[in-house]
Amino acid sequence: MRKKPPVKTWFFQFNISGSGGGDWFVTVKDGACNVQNGQAVKPTTTIKMADGDFVQLIQGKLDGMQAFSSGKLKVEGDIMKSQLIGKLFTFKL
């Protein structure tokens, strides 16, 4: 009998500052995701940005590496998992 691989669960916390911002977290488990308002108890990765920069990032007008290097994007926790965000999600405005 083949053993099932362990279930991976990740929590991506988004703390977006500014009048259009807020706090949300995304739970990714078994290939599905769930978005909720508020703070994750133990986030895998936390993304902190200003609202205008976040909108530019998800529109593809701001490069993630440039934002990180310039301090517009702050990452806490597992920085390697933060690189999955662009691969896991397609943002539509």
Side-chain angles (χ1 to χ4, degrees):
M1 182 180 285
R2 201 179 325 179
K3 202 174 180 184
K4 278 184 154 180
V7 174
K8 301 274 186 198
T9 303
W10 298 310
F11 299 95
F12 295 103
Q13 178 70 49
F14 292 89
N15 298 126
I16 310 301
S17 62
S19 62
D23 298 322
W24 299 272
F25 65 96
V26 179
T27 305
V28 179
K29 182 177 180 180
D30 288 333
C33 69
N34 181 37
V35 179
Q36 294 178 291
N37 284 317
Q39 298 283 332
V41 175
K42 290 178 103 177
T44 306
T45 301
T46 300
I47 304 295
K48 295 182 178 186
M49 295 187 83
D51 54 357
D53 294 332
F54 182 70
V55 170
Q56 286 190 343
L57 180 74
I58 63 174
Q59 288 178 336
K61 296 177 182 176
L62 177 64
D63 178 71
M65 289 306 293
Q66 286 179 332
F68 181 76
S69 298
S70 68
K72 291 182 177 184
L73 166 64
K74 292 182 174 66
V75 179
E76 296 176 357
D78 189 337
I79 197 165
M80 297 305 287
K81 293 290 187 290
S82 71
Q83 296 174 3
L84 290 174
I85 293 171
K87 296 176 182 173
L88 293 172
F89 307 109
T90 300
F91 296 98
K92 295 181 182 178
L93 299 176

